[in-house]
Amino acid sequence: MLVSLLDTDLYKFTMMQVVLHQFPGAQVEYRFRCRTEAVDLLMIEAPFRAALTQLCALRFNEDELSYLRNLRYIKPDFVDFLRLFQLNEGYVEIDTRQGLDIRIRGPWLHTILFEVPLLAIINELYFKALGTVPDLSIARKRLDDKINLIQAHPDVTHFVFSDFGTRRRFSTAWQQEVVHTLKHALPQQLSGTSNVLIAKTLGISAIGTMAHEYLQAFQALGPRLAMTSMRCHALRRSMSGSIRLPVKPSSCAMRRVASLQKRGKCLSIRYSPPRWASS
């Protein structure tokens, strides 16, 4: 299972840095519930609780902190905060009355790193609980077929992709093997991985900026569309201008707002460019 808090998506750290600097007291709630009736996750309840306890015992070590510090958009004070950081099992509620229902409630700053590891843990435990031994020779054959397909494409030089599979992976070991194989077979096409630990281990780029979670949170913290745009720029500033974002809501978004206003389902929204929008 997980052995490092870096075994997560990069955008969790970029978002967490903004939360530390601007919304350290914001309260949030995450919820997981499997809606596929045929899948019974109660069979993994005991090992899941054990894995959760193990996850909450992890701390960042000096080598991991040094790696994060060397990312140009990570601030020194954020690294100092992570040196003290530890996930708290008390923020996680597990309800088994109707399947495995998991809720995470607490300060956004102290719960944001739960999501990806817990999803990865659930996936891996579920596949283990099925009791089937995977035939990795078939998996490797399929991976080789996809690599050959890409290499044979006439426009391969313009094809670039990255790995974003942590929360959906079959297992930790299999994701590591896949990315390692892709790095050597398609070095010009693989731009990196969202998984910070794998990026660190393989010496490739860590990829990511923000998740839907970021926008959803600010739709609650500040329901005006302009506020959402401002928070996008807050992320841009936090990352020292390393990403490009629009300075105002898209025309598509504004057309959607206008449609909702006509139907009486949306309050009036006014966009006022922030003073630093031109930066």
Side-chain angles (χ1 to χ4, degrees), residues 240-269:
S240 304
S242 298
I243 58 173
R244 293 184 178 182
L245 293 165
V247 298
K248 61 181 180 180
S250 68
S251 58
C252 178
M254 295 310 293
R255 286 196 299 271
R256 175 62 176 161
V257 169
S259 174
L260 291 172
Q261 286 176 334
K262 287 180 180 179
R263 291 152 53 191
K265 295 185 177 181
C266 182
L267 298 175
S268 296
I269 293 179

mmCIF file of all heavy atoms in Angstrom, residues 240-269:
data_model
loop_
_atom_site.group_PDB
_atom_site.id
_atom_site.type_symbol
_atom_site.label_atom_id
_atom_site.label_comp_id
_atom_site.label_asym_id
_atom_site.label_seq_id
_atom_site.Cartn_x
_atom_site.Cartn_y
_atom_site.Cartn_z
ATOM 1 N N SER A 240 3.713 31.229 -9.146
ATOM 2 C CA SER A 240 4.707 32.167 -9.694
ATOM 3 C C SER A 240 4.567 32.359 -11.192
ATOM 4 O O SER A 240 5.547 32.447 -11.922
ATOM 5 C CB SER A 240 6.131 31.667 -9.373
ATOM 6 O OG SER A 240 6.297 31.493 -7.987
ATOM 7 N N GLY A 241 3.308 32.395 -11.660
ATOM 8 C CA GLY A 241 3.074 32.636 -13.074
ATOM 9 C C GLY A 241 3.406 31.470 -13.969
ATOM 10 O O GLY A 241 3.555 31.633 -15.178
ATOM 11 N N SER A 242 3.505 30.251 -13.404
ATOM 12 C CA SER A 242 3.909 29.091 -14.198
ATOM 13 C C SER A 242 2.785 28.547 -15.067
ATOM 14 O O SER A 242 2.998 27.668 -15.884
ATOM 15 C CB SER A 242 4.409 27.970 -13.274
ATOM 16 O OG SER A 242 5.544 28.396 -12.560
ATOM 17 N N ILE A 243 1.554 29.017 -14.861
ATOM 18 C CA ILE A 243 0.435 28.569 -15.684
ATOM 19 C C ILE A 243 -0.280 29.779 -16.243
ATOM 20 O O ILE A 243 -0.178 30.886 -15.702
ATOM 21 C CB ILE A 243 -0.569 27.707 -14.878
ATOM 22 C CG1 ILE A 243 -1.111 28.494 -13.673
ATOM 23 C CG2 ILE A 243 0.071 26.418 -14.429
ATOM 24 C CD1 ILE A 243 -2.217 27.764 -12.946
ATOM 25 N N ARG A 244 -1.007 29.582 -17.334
ATOM 26 C CA ARG A 244 -1.771 30.654 -17.954
ATOM 27 C C ARG A 244 -3.255 30.379 -17.777
ATOM 28 O O ARG A 244 -3.726 29.280 -18.044
ATOM 29 C CB ARG A 244 -1.444 30.762 -19.449
ATOM 30 C CG ARG A 244 -0.015 31.213 -19.715
ATOM 31 C CD ARG A 244 0.222 31.392 -21.196
ATOM 32 N NE ARG A 244 1.563 31.875 -21.461
ATOM 33 C CZ ARG A 244 2.018 32.154 -22.667
ATOM 34 N NH1 ARG A 244 1.232 31.993 -23.724
ATOM 35 N NH2 ARG A 244 3.256 32.589 -22.833
ATOM 36 N N LEU A 245 -3.975 31.385 -17.334
ATOM 37 C CA LEU A 245 -5.397 31.245 -17.110
ATOM 38 C C LEU A 245 -6.112 32.467 -17.682
ATOM 39 O O LEU A 245 -5.537 33.554 -17.744
ATOM 40 C CB LEU A 245 -5.711 31.155 -15.603
ATOM 41 C CG LEU A 245 -5.200 29.893 -14.912
ATOM 42 C CD1 LEU A 245 -5.224 30.088 -13.415
ATOM 43 C CD2 LEU A 245 -6.018 28.685 -15.303
ATOM 44 N N PRO A 246 -7.384 32.324 -18.116
ATOM 45 C CA PRO A 246 -8.121 33.472 -18.625
ATOM 46 C C PRO A 246 -8.376 34.483 -17.520
ATOM 47 O O PRO A 246 -8.523 34.117 -16.354
ATOM 48 C CB PRO A 246 -9.437 32.854 -19.118
ATOM 49 C CG PRO A 246 -9.575 31.585 -18.338
ATOM 50 C CD PRO A 246 -8.168 31.087 -18.130
ATOM 51 N N VAL A 247 -8.435 35.776 -17.881
ATOM 52 C CA VAL A 247 -8.631 36.803 -16.868
ATOM 53 C C VAL A 247 -10.101 37.042 -16.591
ATOM 54 O O VAL A 247 -10.452 37.805 -15.709
ATOM 55 C CB VAL A 247 -7.975 38.140 -17.278
ATOM 56 C CG1 VAL A 247 -6.483 37.944 -17.423
ATOM 57 C CG2 VAL A 247 -8.574 38.671 -18.584
ATOM 58 N N LYS A 248 -10.982 36.425 -17.345
ATOM 59 C CA LYS A 248 -12.404 36.573 -17.068
ATOM 60 C C LYS A 248 -13.144 35.315 -17.487
ATOM 61 O O LYS A 248 -12.608 34.485 -18.227
ATOM 62 C CB LYS A 248 -12.970 37.786 -17.791
ATOM 63 C CG LYS A 248 -12.867 37.729 -19.309
ATOM 64 C CD LYS A 248 -13.454 39.010 -19.904
ATOM 65 C CE LYS A 248 -13.376 39.010 -21.419
ATOM 66 N NZ LYS A 248 -13.943 40.243 -21.977
ATOM 67 N N PRO A 249 -14.391 35.125 -17.022
ATOM 68 C CA PRO A 249 -15.138 33.923 -17.362
ATOM 69 C C PRO A 249 -15.261 33.756 -18.867
ATOM 70 O O PRO A 249 -15.349 34.723 -19.611
ATOM 71 C CB PRO A 249 -16.504 34.164 -16.703
ATOM 72 C CG PRO A 249 -16.230 35.139 -15.623
ATOM 73 C CD PRO A 249 -15.129 36.016 -16.138
ATOM 74 N N SER A 250 -15.289 32.502 -19.318
ATOM 75 C CA SER A 250 -15.392 32.229 -20.740
ATOM 76 C C SER A 250 -16.757 32.638 -21.269
ATOM 77 O O SER A 250 -17.747 32.726 -20.532
ATOM 78 C CB SER A 250 -15.168 30.742 -21.004
ATOM 79 O OG SER A 250 -16.236 29.986 -20.468
ATOM 80 N N SER A 251 -16.832 32.874 -22.583
ATOM 81 C CA SER A 251 -18.100 33.248 -23.200
ATOM 82 C C SER A 251 -19.118 32.130 -23.050
ATOM 83 O O SER A 251 -20.316 32.375 -22.889
ATOM 84 C CB SER A 251 -17.881 33.574 -24.680
ATOM 85 O OG SER A 251 -17.305 32.461 -25.355
ATOM 86 N N CYS A 252 -18.633 30.873 -23.088
ATOM 87 C CA CYS A 252 -19.534 29.735 -22.902
ATOM 88 C C CYS A 252 -20.160 29.773 -21.520
ATOM 89 O O CYS A 252 -21.360 29.561 -21.362
ATOM 90 C CB CYS A 252 -18.761 28.428 -23.112
ATOM 91 S SG CYS A 252 -19.745 26.939 -22.863
ATOM 92 N N ALA A 253 -19.348 30.056 -20.505
ATOM 93 C CA ALA A 253 -19.858 30.130 -19.134
ATOM 94 C C ALA A 253 -20.868 31.262 -18.998
ATOM 95 O O ALA A 253 -21.906 31.115 -18.348
ATOM 96 C CB ALA A 253 -18.703 30.329 -18.166
ATOM 97 N N MET A 254 -20.574 32.406 -19.608
ATOM 98 C CA MET A 254 -21.480 33.541 -19.493
ATOM 99 C C MET A 254 -22.794 33.285 -20.226
ATOM 100 O O MET A 254 -23.857 33.727 -19.788
ATOM 101 C CB MET A 254 -20.797 34.805 -20.030
ATOM 102 C CG MET A 254 -19.578 35.245 -19.220
ATOM 103 S SD MET A 254 -19.894 35.357 -17.433
ATOM 104 C CE MET A 254 -21.046 36.722 -17.384
ATOM 105 N N ARG A 255 -22.751 32.555 -21.343
ATOM 106 C CA ARG A 255 -23.998 32.204 -22.036
ATOM 107 C C ARG A 255 -24.839 31.284 -21.163
ATOM 108 O O ARG A 255 -26.076 31.404 -21.117
ATOM 109 C CB ARG A 255 -23.688 31.524 -23.375
ATOM 110 C CG ARG A 255 -23.197 32.483 -24.457
ATOM 111 C CD ARG A 255 -23.279 31.831 -25.836
ATOM 112 N NE ARG A 255 -22.464 30.639 -25.934
ATOM 113 C CZ ARG A 255 -21.186 30.640 -26.314
ATOM 114 N NH1 ARG A 255 -20.589 31.791 -26.622
ATOM 115 N NH2 ARG A 255 -20.502 29.519 -26.396
ATOM 116 N N ARG A 256 -24.189 30.387 -20.462
ATOM 117 C CA ARG A 256 -24.913 29.488 -19.564
ATOM 118 C C ARG A 256 -25.560 30.281 -18.432
ATOM 119 O O ARG A 256 -26.710 30.035 -18.066
ATOM 120 C CB ARG A 256 -23.935 28.456 -18.998
ATOM 121 C CG ARG A 256 -24.517 27.520 -17.950
ATOM 122 C CD ARG A 256 -25.635 26.684 -18.496
ATOM 123 N NE ARG A 256 -26.119 25.726 -17.518
ATOM 124 C CZ ARG A 256 -27.290 25.125 -17.576
ATOM 125 N NH1 ARG A 256 -28.126 25.359 -18.578
ATOM 126 N NH2 ARG A 256 -27.638 24.254 -16.643
ATOM 127 N N VAL A 257 -24.835 31.245 -17.884
ATOM 128 C CA VAL A 257 -25.385 32.088 -16.825
ATOM 129 C C VAL A 257 -26.588 32.864 -17.328
ATOM 130 O O VAL A 257 -27.625 32.960 -16.659
ATOM 131 C CB VAL A 257 -24.294 33.057 -16.304
ATOM 132 C CG1 VAL A 257 -24.916 34.106 -15.395
ATOM 133 C CG2 VAL A 257 -23.227 32.282 -15.558
ATOM 134 N N ALA A 258 -26.476 33.437 -18.550
ATOM 135 C CA ALA A 258 -27.581 34.208 -19.107
ATOM 136 C C ALA A 258 -28.822 33.345 -19.282
ATOM 137 O O ALA A 258 -29.943 33.773 -19.018
ATOM 138 C CB ALA A 258 -27.155 34.806 -20.451
ATOM 139 N N SER A 259 -28.604 32.091 -19.702
ATOM 140 C CA SER A 259 -29.727 31.175 -19.875
ATOM 141 C C SER A 259 -30.414 30.884 -18.549
ATOM 142 O O SER A 259 -31.645 30.876 -18.452
ATOM 143 C CB SER A 259 -29.225 29.869 -20.509
ATOM 144 O OG SER A 259 -30.254 28.899 -20.561
ATOM 145 N N LEU A 260 -29.613 30.676 -17.499
ATOM 146 C CA LEU A 260 -30.182 30.415 -16.176
ATOM 147 C C LEU A 260 -30.909 31.631 -15.629
ATOM 148 O O LEU A 260 -31.948 31.518 -14.974
ATOM 149 C CB LEU A 260 -29.067 29.979 -15.213
ATOM 150 C CG LEU A 260 -28.435 28.609 -15.485
ATOM 151 C CD1 LEU A 260 -27.234 28.405 -14.576
ATOM 152 C CD2 LEU A 260 -29.455 27.506 -15.282
ATOM 153 N N GLN A 261 -30.385 32.835 -15.909
ATOM 154 C CA GLN A 261 -31.030 34.055 -15.444
ATOM 155 C C GLN A 261 -32.411 34.215 -16.071
ATOM 156 O O GLN A 261 -33.379 34.597 -15.409
ATOM 157 C CB GLN A 261 -30.154 35.265 -15.768
ATOM 158 C CG GLN A 261 -28.927 35.388 -14.888
ATOM 159 C CD GLN A 261 -28.041 36.544 -15.310
ATOM 160 O OE1 GLN A 261 -28.060 36.943 -16.461
ATOM 161 N NE2 GLN A 261 -27.270 37.059 -14.376
ATOM 162 N N LYS A 262 -32.531 33.923 -17.360
ATOM 163 C CA LYS A 262 -33.809 34.039 -18.058
ATOM 164 C C LYS A 262 -34.846 33.104 -17.456
ATOM 165 O O LYS A 262 -36.034 33.404 -17.433
ATOM 166 C CB LYS A 262 -33.626 33.724 -19.540
ATOM 167 C CG LYS A 262 -32.900 34.811 -20.320
ATOM 168 C CD LYS A 262 -32.768 34.419 -21.786
ATOM 169 C CE LYS A 262 -32.032 35.503 -22.570
ATOM 170 N NZ LYS A 262 -31.874 35.124 -24.000
ATOM 171 N N ARG A 263 -34.377 31.960 -16.978
ATOM 172 C CA ARG A 263 -35.299 30.982 -16.388
ATOM 173 C C ARG A 263 -35.479 31.202 -14.892
ATOM 174 O O ARG A 263 -36.099 30.405 -14.205
ATOM 175 C CB ARG A 263 -34.764 29.574 -16.644
ATOM 176 C CG ARG A 263 -34.833 29.185 -18.116
ATOM 177 C CD ARG A 263 -33.781 28.192 -18.535
ATOM 178 N NE ARG A 263 -33.768 26.996 -17.687
ATOM 179 C CZ ARG A 263 -32.805 26.084 -17.724
ATOM 180 N NH1 ARG A 263 -31.779 26.256 -18.550
ATOM 181 N NH2 ARG A 263 -32.851 25.032 -16.953
ATOM 182 N N GLY A 264 -34.889 32.280 -14.382
ATOM 183 C CA GLY A 264 -35.049 32.612 -12.970
ATOM 184 C C GLY A 264 -34.337 31.681 -12.032
ATOM 185 O O GLY A 264 -34.718 31.536 -10.866
ATOM 186 N N LYS A 265 -33.258 31.020 -12.502
ATOM 187 C CA LYS A 265 -32.550 30.045 -11.682
ATOM 188 C C LYS A 265 -31.150 30.499 -11.303
ATOM 189 O O LYS A 265 -30.340 29.720 -10.847
ATOM 190 C CB LYS A 265 -32.476 28.709 -12.430
ATOM 191 C CG LYS A 265 -33.848 28.066 -12.649
ATOM 192 C CD LYS A 265 -33.715 26.687 -13.273
ATOM 193 C CE LYS A 265 -35.084 26.029 -13.416
ATOM 194 N NZ LYS A 265 -34.984 24.677 -13.997
ATOM 195 N N CYS A 266 -30.858 31.763 -11.538
ATOM 196 C CA CYS A 266 -29.519 32.231 -11.231
ATOM 197 C C CYS A 266 -29.566 33.690 -10.828
ATOM 198 O O CYS A 266 -30.294 34.485 -11.430
ATOM 199 C CB CYS A 266 -28.603 32.052 -12.443
ATOM 200 S SG CYS A 266 -26.888 32.548 -12.161
ATOM 201 N N LEU A 267 -28.839 34.051 -9.788
ATOM 202 C CA LEU A 267 -28.734 35.442 -9.392
ATOM 203 C C LEU A 267 -27.906 36.210 -10.405
ATOM 204 O O LEU A 267 -27.153 35.644 -11.184
ATOM 205 C CB LEU A 267 -28.092 35.549 -8.010
ATOM 206 C CG LEU A 267 -28.840 34.889 -6.859
ATOM 207 C CD1 LEU A 267 -28.001 34.988 -5.587
ATOM 208 C CD2 LEU A 267 -30.201 35.551 -6.647
ATOM 209 N N SER A 268 -28.058 37.516 -10.422
ATOM 210 C CA SER A 268 -27.263 38.335 -11.326
ATOM 211 C C SER A 268 -25.791 38.206 -10.992
ATOM 212 O O SER A 268 -25.407 38.146 -9.818
ATOM 213 C CB SER A 268 -27.682 39.808 -11.222
ATOM 214 O OG SER A 268 -29.015 39.959 -11.641
ATOM 215 N N ILE A 269 -24.969 38.135 -12.009
ATOM 216 C CA ILE A 269 -23.526 38.002 -11.829
ATOM 217 C C ILE A 269 -22.837 39.147 -12.533
ATOM 218 O O ILE A 269 -23.121 39.441 -13.686
ATOM 219 C CB ILE A 269 -23.022 36.651 -12.399
ATOM 220 C CG1 ILE A 269 -23.592 35.513 -11.564
ATOM 221 C CG2 ILE A 269 -21.500 36.600 -12.412
ATOM 222 C CD1 ILE A 269 -23.176 34.150 -12.048
#
